[in-house]
Amino acid sequence: MTSLHWGVKASFLGYLGAMPDGEVTPLAPAELLDGRTLRFPEIGTGGAAGAGSRRFAGGVRFTGHGGVLDLVIAEPALESGDGPDGWIVTIADPYAPGARLALATVGPIDERAGRTVGGGVALTEAGADLFFGPYVAGTPLDDIAVVDD
C-alpha cells in the first residue's frame, strides 16, 4: 500500500501535547504512527484533483483551548503546481463542502527508493488562515513523504 506520511508541523503538535486538553485525533482511515507522524492511505491519482496529482484518504483533527481550537485537515492531495519543481498540498475545504483548499506549497520532489519526498513545505495564505493567527503564509511545515509501506 502507498501512503502519505506527514507530521504537519512538529512544533504545533508539541504545543498541543503540552496543553491540558490538546488532542491530535486521526480520522479514519488515517493513522497516527508515532505520536507525531500521520499516515494517509493513497486512494488514487489524477481525477478531480487533476492530472499529476496523488490523492489520500482520511484526516486529522486538532483540538484544544476548550474547543476554541478545532482544525480539521482532511483528504490531502499532492498536486503539481506552478513551475517544474512546484507542488501544492490541497485539502478538503472545511468551510466549503466539495471544494479544495490550497494548504501548502511544496518545493522540489526527490524520488528515492520506494519514497517520494517533498521538502520546503510552507503554508499558503489560505492555509495560514485556517490557524487563525499564529502562522503566516510561508511558515515552514514538516516535509512530506509518499511511501510504499
mmCIF file of all heavy atoms in Angstrom, residues 102-105 121-131 133-141:
data_model
loop_
_atom_site.group_PDB
_atom_site.id
_atom_site.type_symbol
_atom_site.label_atom_id
_atom_site.label_comp_id
_atom_site.label_asym_id
_atom_site.label_seq_id
_atom_site.Cartn_x
_atom_site.Cartn_y
_atom_site.Cartn_z
ATOM 1 N N ALA A 102 -5.976 25.143 -1.093
ATOM 2 C CA ALA A 102 -4.520 25.012 -1.221
ATOM 3 C C ALA A 102 -3.900 25.317 0.143
ATOM 4 O O ALA A 102 -3.823 26.465 0.560
ATOM 5 C CB ALA A 102 -3.993 25.962 -2.285
ATOM 6 N N LEU A 103 -3.485 24.282 0.850
ATOM 7 C CA LEU A 103 -2.960 24.417 2.205
ATOM 8 C C LEU A 103 -1.496 24.846 2.220
ATOM 9 O O LEU A 103 -1.101 25.698 3.009
ATOM 10 C CB LEU A 103 -3.108 23.092 2.954
ATOM 11 C CG LEU A 103 -2.562 23.047 4.370
ATOM 12 C CD1 LEU A 103 -3.437 23.882 5.303
ATOM 13 C CD2 LEU A 103 -2.465 21.619 4.880
ATOM 14 N N ALA A 104 -0.688 24.212 1.361
ATOM 15 C CA ALA A 104 0.753 24.448 1.420
ATOM 16 C C ALA A 104 1.401 24.255 0.060
ATOM 17 O O ALA A 104 0.913 23.489 -0.764
ATOM 18 C CB ALA A 104 1.388 23.481 2.424
ATOM 19 N N THR A 105 2.501 24.956 -0.123
ATOM 20 C CA THR A 105 3.335 24.731 -1.293
ATOM 21 C C THR A 105 4.424 23.739 -0.905
ATOM 22 O O THR A 105 4.773 23.612 0.275
ATOM 23 C CB THR A 105 3.972 26.038 -1.783
ATOM 24 O OG1 THR A 105 4.737 26.610 -0.708
ATOM 25 C CG2 THR A 105 2.913 27.034 -2.246
ATOM 26 N N VAL A 121 8.170 22.575 2.426
ATOM 27 C CA VAL A 121 6.715 22.702 2.563
ATOM 28 C C VAL A 121 6.422 23.961 3.376
ATOM 29 O O VAL A 121 7.013 24.181 4.431
ATOM 30 C CB VAL A 121 6.109 21.453 3.247
ATOM 31 C CG1 VAL A 121 4.605 21.571 3.361
ATOM 32 C CG2 VAL A 121 6.508 20.183 2.495
ATOM 33 N N ALA A 122 5.499 24.806 2.872
ATOM 34 C CA ALA A 122 5.186 26.072 3.549
ATOM 35 C C ALA A 122 3.715 26.416 3.364
ATOM 36 O O ALA A 122 3.124 26.148 2.312
ATOM 37 C CB ALA A 122 6.054 27.194 2.996
ATOM 38 N N LEU A 123 3.132 27.003 4.391
ATOM 39 C CA LEU A 123 1.723 27.393 4.334
ATOM 40 C C LEU A 123 1.456 28.417 3.238
ATOM 41 O O LEU A 123 2.254 29.330 3.016
ATOM 42 C CB LEU A 123 1.282 28.014 5.665
ATOM 43 C CG LEU A 123 0.974 27.075 6.814
ATOM 44 C CD1 LEU A 123 0.718 27.872 8.096
ATOM 45 C CD2 LEU A 123 -0.208 26.173 6.502
ATOM 46 N N THR A 124 0.323 28.279 2.584
ATOM 47 C CA THR A 124 -0.181 29.313 1.689
ATOM 48 C C THR A 124 -0.943 30.327 2.538
ATOM 49 O O THR A 124 -1.156 30.111 3.741
ATOM 50 C CB THR A 124 -1.153 28.717 0.653
ATOM 51 O OG1 THR A 124 -2.286 28.190 1.362
ATOM 52 C CG2 THR A 124 -0.506 27.636 -0.189
ATOM 53 N N GLU A 125 -1.403 31.391 1.932
ATOM 54 C CA GLU A 125 -2.227 32.367 2.650
ATOM 55 C C GLU A 125 -3.497 31.703 3.173
ATOM 56 O O GLU A 125 -3.882 31.884 4.332
ATOM 57 C CB GLU A 125 -2.581 33.542 1.728
ATOM 58 C CG GLU A 125 -3.274 34.678 2.431
ATOM 59 C CD GLU A 125 -2.364 35.469 3.357
ATOM 60 O OE1 GLU A 125 -1.183 35.663 3.036
ATOM 61 O OE2 GLU A 125 -2.851 35.892 4.425
ATOM 62 N N ALA A 126 -4.162 30.900 2.305
ATOM 63 C CA ALA A 126 -5.391 30.208 2.722
ATOM 64 C C ALA A 126 -5.099 29.208 3.831
ATOM 65 O O ALA A 126 -5.896 29.039 4.755
ATOM 66 C CB ALA A 126 -6.040 29.517 1.527
ATOM 67 N N GLY A 127 -3.947 28.528 3.761
ATOM 68 C CA GLY A 127 -3.569 27.581 4.809
ATOM 69 C C GLY A 127 -3.313 28.275 6.128
ATOM 70 O O GLY A 127 -3.728 27.811 7.192
ATOM 71 N N ALA A 128 -2.630 29.418 6.083
ATOM 72 C CA ALA A 128 -2.359 30.180 7.304
ATOM 73 C C ALA A 128 -3.658 30.644 7.950
ATOM 74 O O ALA A 128 -3.783 30.635 9.182
ATOM 75 C CB ALA A 128 -1.456 31.370 6.992
ATOM 76 N N ASP A 129 -4.649 31.016 7.142
ATOM 77 C CA ASP A 129 -5.935 31.469 7.674
ATOM 78 C C ASP A 129 -6.633 30.394 8.504
ATOM 79 O O ASP A 129 -7.374 30.709 9.432
ATOM 80 C CB ASP A 129 -6.861 31.916 6.544
ATOM 81 C CG ASP A 129 -6.445 33.234 5.921
ATOM 82 O OD1 ASP A 129 -5.580 33.935 6.498
ATOM 83 O OD2 ASP A 129 -6.977 33.564 4.843
ATOM 84 N N LEU A 130 -6.398 29.124 8.183
ATOM 85 C CA LEU A 130 -7.031 28.039 8.952
ATOM 86 C C LEU A 130 -6.581 28.022 10.412
ATOM 87 O O LEU A 130 -7.300 27.548 11.279
ATOM 88 C CB LEU A 130 -6.724 26.678 8.328
ATOM 89 C CG LEU A 130 -7.386 26.358 7.004
ATOM 90 C CD1 LEU A 130 -6.948 24.977 6.511
ATOM 91 C CD2 LEU A 130 -8.901 26.414 7.123
ATOM 92 N N PHE A 131 -5.387 28.539 10.673
ATOM 93 C CA PHE A 131 -4.840 28.529 12.025
ATOM 94 C C PHE A 131 -5.219 29.777 12.824
ATOM 95 O O PHE A 131 -4.845 29.916 13.979
ATOM 96 C CB PHE A 131 -3.311 28.375 11.971
ATOM 97 C CG PHE A 131 -2.863 27.008 11.542
ATOM 98 C CD1 PHE A 131 -2.697 26.701 10.203
ATOM 99 C CD2 PHE A 131 -2.604 26.020 12.485
ATOM 100 C CE1 PHE A 131 -2.276 25.436 9.802
ATOM 101 C CE2 PHE A 131 -2.184 24.760 12.106
ATOM 102 C CZ PHE A 131 -2.020 24.470 10.757
ATOM 103 N N GLY A 133 -4.267 32.946 12.985
ATOM 104 C CA GLY A 133 -3.344 33.930 13.514
ATOM 105 C C GLY A 133 -1.936 33.560 13.880
ATOM 106 O O GLY A 133 -1.045 34.382 13.685
ATOM 107 N N PRO A 134 -1.641 32.398 14.455
ATOM 108 C CA PRO A 134 -0.258 32.213 14.900
ATOM 109 C C PRO A 134 0.735 31.992 13.759
ATOM 110 O O PRO A 134 1.934 32.140 13.961
ATOM 111 C CB PRO A 134 -0.322 30.989 15.806
ATOM 112 C CG PRO A 134 -1.513 30.236 15.344
ATOM 113 C CD PRO A 134 -2.488 31.280 14.851
ATOM 114 N N TYR A 135 0.247 31.656 12.571
ATOM 115 C CA TYR A 135 1.128 31.407 11.432
ATOM 116 C C TYR A 135 0.734 32.305 10.267
ATOM 117 O O TYR A 135 -0.432 32.657 10.108
ATOM 118 C CB TYR A 135 1.052 29.945 10.988
ATOM 119 C CG TYR A 135 1.367 28.956 12.088
ATOM 120 C CD1 TYR A 135 0.433 28.009 12.483
ATOM 121 C CD2 TYR A 135 2.603 28.968 12.721
ATOM 122 C CE1 TYR A 135 0.714 27.104 13.499
ATOM 123 C CE2 TYR A 135 2.895 28.070 13.734
ATOM 124 C CZ TYR A 135 1.954 27.137 14.118
ATOM 125 O OH TYR A 135 2.240 26.256 15.112
ATOM 126 N N VAL A 136 1.725 32.647 9.451
ATOM 127 C CA VAL A 136 1.503 33.461 8.258
ATOM 128 C C VAL A 136 1.882 32.641 7.027
ATOM 129 O O VAL A 136 2.539 31.591 7.140
ATOM 130 C CB VAL A 136 2.334 34.762 8.307
ATOM 131 C CG1 VAL A 136 1.894 35.641 9.475
ATOM 132 C CG2 VAL A 136 3.829 34.467 8.377
ATOM 133 N N ALA A 137 1.479 33.131 5.861
ATOM 134 C CA ALA A 137 1.878 32.479 4.617
ATOM 135 C C ALA A 137 3.404 32.381 4.578
ATOM 136 O O ALA A 137 4.108 33.302 4.958
ATOM 137 C CB ALA A 137 1.364 33.268 3.422
ATOM 138 N N GLY A 138 3.885 31.236 4.162
ATOM 139 C CA GLY A 138 5.322 30.999 4.107
ATOM 140 C C GLY A 138 5.881 30.300 5.321
ATOM 141 O O GLY A 138 7.053 29.908 5.335
ATOM 142 N N THR A 139 5.069 30.137 6.383
ATOM 143 C CA THR A 139 5.531 29.428 7.574
ATOM 144 C C THR A 139 5.902 27.994 7.185
ATOM 145 O O THR A 139 5.105 27.286 6.573
ATOM 146 C CB THR A 139 4.439 29.395 8.664
ATOM 147 O OG1 THR A 139 4.154 30.731 9.077
ATOM 148 C CG2 THR A 139 4.875 28.563 9.863
ATOM 149 N N PRO A 140 7.111 27.549 7.527
ATOM 150 C CA PRO A 140 7.524 26.191 7.174
ATOM 151 C C PRO A 140 6.702 25.129 7.905
ATOM 152 O O PRO A 140 6.370 25.275 9.081
ATOM 153 C CB PRO A 140 8.982 26.118 7.613
ATOM 154 C CG PRO A 140 9.418 27.526 7.807
ATOM 155 C CD PRO A 140 8.185 28.296 8.172
ATOM 156 N N LEU A 141 6.400 24.068 7.183
ATOM 157 C CA LEU A 141 5.757 22.879 7.737
ATOM 158 C C LEU A 141 6.728 21.719 7.587
ATOM 159 O O LEU A 141 7.781 21.842 6.958
ATOM 160 C CB LEU A 141 4.451 22.577 6.995
ATOM 161 C CG LEU A 141 3.382 23.674 7.021
ATOM 162 C CD1 LEU A 141 2.177 23.250 6.182
ATOM 163 C CD2 LEU A 141 2.946 23.967 8.448
#
